[in-house]
Amino acid sequence: MSIFGTRRTRAAVIALAAGSLVLTACGGSNDSGTKDNSKTQEDAAKQSAAVTYGDAKASTGPAAEVPGAKPGGTISVLQEDDFSHLDPGQTYVSDGKILDRLIQRGLTQYQEDDEGKQTLVGDLATDSGKQTDGGKTWTFTLKDGLKDQNGTAITSADIRHTIERMYAPFITDGPTYIQQWLSGSGTTYRKALPDGPYKGKHLPDSVLATPDEKTIVFKFKEPQPDLPQALAMPGYSVVPEKTDTKEKYDTAPVATGPYKIAEFKPGKSLKLVKNTNWDPKTDSVRHQYVDGFNIGFNQSDDDQTKTLLADRGEAKNSIMFTGQVATNQVRNVVEDPEAMKRTIQGYAPYVWQLNFNLDRMKDKKVRDAITYALPSAQIYKLDGGAYGGETATGLMSPTTPGYDKTYDPFGKLKKPNGDVEKAKQLIKEAGAEGKKVVYAYANTPVRQQQSVVIADRLKAIGLEVVKKEIDQATWYEQVGKVDNGLDLYMTGWGQDWPSASTVFPPLYDGTQLQDGSSVYSHINDEKVNKEIARILKITDPAEAQKAWGALHRDIVERINPAAPIYYTKVFQIFGSNVGGLRYSADSSYVDVTRLYLKK
């Protein structure tokens, strides 16, 4: 999943993280001279545990009460940018996922505890699903009493509609797992229902059946044991058939969760109020403690941190969604014991990488040169320092099963600030001195600061850099175009659930390349495509994990479609009157389902 401002943290990712708020000391120190109590790769390793599938009891609401929780009041949300999409079918980034948790529901959802353990439970469904035929057939039954914000009952027809609209040509930015499992790999699935359900056609009952108003049956050609986890993604949250306005749904979606949109001013603000047709008896995950959320855009991490650290007036009732403690404020927060009591931390599942557009950056020596040259440590230190990340050595996150911390093909652990001489030599061998490269970056303070470091390093190894700044709100839409006119651009990706199968297929399977896909490097290598298809059929998790690891090495060493820069950590601060704070293993940021105001 990109990370916020980045896509799919497709962040958006199911990141598994230790939910404990206890700070883990790892010794050492960060650049500010304060003790480094940030999360470590040992914490990350705990996050790769398998998710438990819950039964009907675990899926039955209401959700367990949060100790000390009180009803009432409005929480203010400080947000850097507007949401790329409000249509759940188009949602695949972290900030959208957090919003989705408040206003939408799908067949399944994650239930978390204070230790970071996740259980996959039924959300609209009575349980996490029943599989037969060796996992080729999955049956879900809807709970009683489900309604959308208009009071209209949610039926199996709405679930069918939700899946089928994902085939429509205007849906370009959502997940594609279930469509491909049902109707074909790569982009071929669209042929099964090229207009979606909008011209009266449907998938055959042999693929997707709704025998009655409460029952949905998925039928696959191959076993799909991860279906319940895929269904928990915001992209598959229900879109009621009667209220679907196609493209217009992206600005006025109908809520099924505890909150609904009362007012939306694009680029400025979004106001949520209680959805009175949400029934807590049907929901084992979410709460509706506060009266609403006022989300304000155009507030940088620096502004957010200063406001929340000062903790005056309305700031006491304020939170971050995907914001982080700003790099220049880390020391002020860490050295303030009272401020630290209202922070959360986690090791996020994202790898920030500099993508090479392989349609344009065709010389591997040039790609390798840039990878060797990049000063990873300088770059991540602009994004929260030791509390924001650490040098990446490959394209697999430490939270992903099969991660190998010894794998370091570009010598980043020994030279975290890059190897300029080696890079210069490769540029010379390639005859690429003076080669012009178009480097794109998002127009946020952190990305702008990082762009200076990256551009300077590219120039230092002999390249001519043309910088192009892109609006953060449309970042993934712009770089996600096949004909984007760019050579280099950074994205952040995290697993959609704890499996490398949610990393390598969406990023490196060339058969999936289309506008809006996450094949950002435009890689389309026959060997890689075939190997991805082969591994996806392996039913033994241990064998599959080993195969993904081998494929990872092949992609990095033989092709090098993206330069790994840094792994991400999360460090957030909140107002003192906000209760229920906990890091979410699901969203990789604060768990918004349990927040309340203390007074």
Side-chain angles (χ1 to χ4, degrees), residues 88-201:
Q90 297 274 48
T91 300
Y92 211 158
V93 295
S94 301
D95 58 344
K97 181 181 180 68
I98 294 174
L99 178 66
D100 186 86
R101 290 281 275 170
L102 292 173
I103 66 175
Q104 303 294 359
R105 298 177 68 180
L107 281 178
T108 61
Q109 192 52 269
Y110 289 93
Q111 188 180 83
E112 307 179 56
D113 65 19
D114 289 336
E115 302 304 317
K117 180 183 177 182
Q118 290 193 322
T119 302
L120 197 288
V121 298
D123 189 0
L124 297 176
T126 55
D127 55 30
S128 56
K130 291 181 172 61
Q131 58 177 310
T132 54
D133 193 21
K136 293 181 182 179
T137 301
W138 282 87
T139 301
F140 296 86
T141 303
L142 294 178
K143 294 174 179 174
D144 295 329
L146 299 172
K147 298 178 181 179
D148 65 18
Q149 70 177 56
N150 300 317
T152 304
I154 296 171
T155 71
S156 61
D158 296 311
I159 306 300
R160 173 186 278 277
H161 180 81
T162 297
I163 299 298
E164 291 179 338
R165 75 189 297 270
M166 297 296 284
Y167 290 69
F170 72 88
I171 298 290
T172 58
D173 292 330
T176 58
Y177 293 111
I178 297 176
Q179 303 94 291
Q180 291 172 347
W181 294 345
L182 289 172
S183 305
S185 62
T187 60
T188 62
Y189 72 87
R190 289 195 185 271
K191 297 177 182 178
L193 206 61
D195 298 306
Y198 300 107
K199 292 187 177 180
K201 294 184 178 180

Side-chain angles (χ1 to χ4, degrees), residues 140-439:
F140 296 86
T141 303
L142 294 178
K143 294 174 179 174
D144 295 329
L146 299 172
K147 298 178 181 179
D148 65 18
Q149 70 177 56
N150 300 317
T152 304
I154 296 171
T155 71
S156 61
D158 296 311
I159 306 300
R160 173 186 278 277
H161 180 81
T162 297
I163 299 298
E164 291 179 338
R165 75 189 297 270
M166 297 296 284
Y167 290 69
F170 72 88
I171 298 290
T172 58
D173 292 330
T176 58
Y177 293 111
I178 297 176
Q179 303 94 291
Q180 291 172 347
W181 294 345
L182 289 172
S183 305
S185 62
T187 60
T188 62
Y189 72 87
R190 289 195 185 271
K191 297 177 182 178
L193 206 61
D195 298 306
Y198 300 107
K199 292 187 177 180
K201 294 184 178 180
H202 297 284
L203 295 172
D205 285 351
S206 59
V207 173
L208 182 63
T210 51
D212 56 52
E213 289 193 346
K214 285 291 189 72
T215 308
I216 306 97
V217 185
F218 294 84
K219 302 176 183 180
F220 306 102
K221 293 180 180 179
E222 303 289 339
Q224 300 298 345
D226 291 343
L227 176 64
Q229 297 194 72
L231 284 167
M233 298 177 71
Y236 298 113
S237 291
V238 66
V239 174
E241 182 176 10
K242 293 179 181 178
T243 52
D244 184 1
T245 53
K246 299 177 69 175
E247 290 91 340
K248 294 180 181 179
Y249 202 75
D250 214 10
T251 56
V254 172
T256 52
Y259 296 92
K260 63 181 180 180
I261 297 174
E263 181 181 77
F264 178 41
K265 297 179 180 178
K268 295 182 179 180
S269 62
L270 181 70
K271 181 179 181 180
L272 304 182
V273 297
K274 284 185 176 182
N275 173 12
T276 55
N277 280 303
W278 171 79
D279 185 352
K281 295 178 182 178
T282 69
D283 198 327
S284 67
V285 175
R286 301 169 188 80
H287 295 280
Q288 199 186 48
Y289 290 128
V290 297
D291 296 328
F293 294 80
N294 290 336
I295 305 171
F297 307 129
N298 306 310
Q299 301 180 72
S300 68
D301 280 356
D302 190 37
D303 292 337
Q304 292 180 43
T305 306
K306 288 178 179 177
T307 298
L308 292 165
L309 184 59
D311 198 40
R312 300 190 185 99
E314 184 57 30
K316 294 177 181 289
N317 300 330
S318 299
I319 67 170
M320 297 172 160
F321 259 15
T322 53
Q324 296 227 64
V325 172
T327 305
N328 62 348
Q329 297 290 324
V330 168
R331 183 170 184 170
N332 294 334
V333 174
V334 171
E335 294 186 349
D336 184 338
E338 291 304 311
M340 284 298 287
K341 290 179 182 178
R342 45 192 179 91
T343 64
I344 62 170
Q345 288 190 61
Y347 202 111
Y350 309 115
V351 181
W352 277 103
Q353 49 207 277
L354 185 68
N355 296 275
F356 302 115
N357 182 341
L358 297 183
D359 293 335
R360 297 161 60 103
M361 299 289 290
K362 296 184 178 182
D363 192 326
K364 184 174 181 292
K365 283 190 176 180
V366 176
R367 301 198 298 270
D368 286 352
I370 293 172
T371 306
Y372 277 110
L374 287 175
S376 296
Q378 290 182 42
I379 296 169
Y380 82 71
K381 285 172 184 175
L382 292 170
D383 194 9
Y387 284 81
E390 62 186 30
T391 297
T393 59
L395 300 172
M396 282 180 80
S397 164
T399 64
T400 304
Y403 168 75
D404 180 0
K405 66 180 180 181
T406 67
Y407 183 62
D408 186 20
F410 294 100
K412 291 296 182 179
L413 294 178
K414 289 185 178 180
K415 294 186 177 182
N417 281 315
D419 190 335
V420 174
E421 293 309 311
K422 188 173 184 66
K424 285 182 176 179
Q425 181 61 36
L426 287 169
I427 292 292
K428 184 177 181 181
E429 291 176 10
E433 294 101 329
K435 176 181 173 62
K436 183 182 293 185
V437 293
V438 181
Y439 161 51

Side-chain angles (χ1 to χ4, degrees), residues 530-561:
K530 287 182 177 179
E531 186 63 1
I532 287 174
R534 183 189 74 83
I535 299 171
L536 286 172
K537 294 179 181 179
I538 298 175
T539 56
D540 181 354
E543 183 183 347
Q545 182 172 303
K546 184 178 179 180
W548 288 124
L551 178 61
H552 175 215
R553 287 171 166 76
D554 178 59
I555 290 172
V556 170
E557 297 168 26
R558 181 170 61 85
I559 303 171
N560 188 16

Side-chain angles (χ1 to χ4, degrees), residues 18-21 66 101 111-117 285 343-345 572 574 579-585 587 589-595:
S20 173
L21 304 187
V66 178
R101 290 281 275 170
Q111 188 180 83
E112 307 179 56
D113 65 19
D114 289 336
E115 302 304 317
K117 180 183 177 182
V285 175
T343 64
I344 62 170
Q345 288 190 61
Q572 297 184 298
F574 305 90
L581 295 173
R582 183 175 73 182
Y583 180 81
S584 169
S587 71
Y589 294 97
V590 63
D591 184 349
V592 294
T593 67
R594 48 184 276 123
L595 299 180

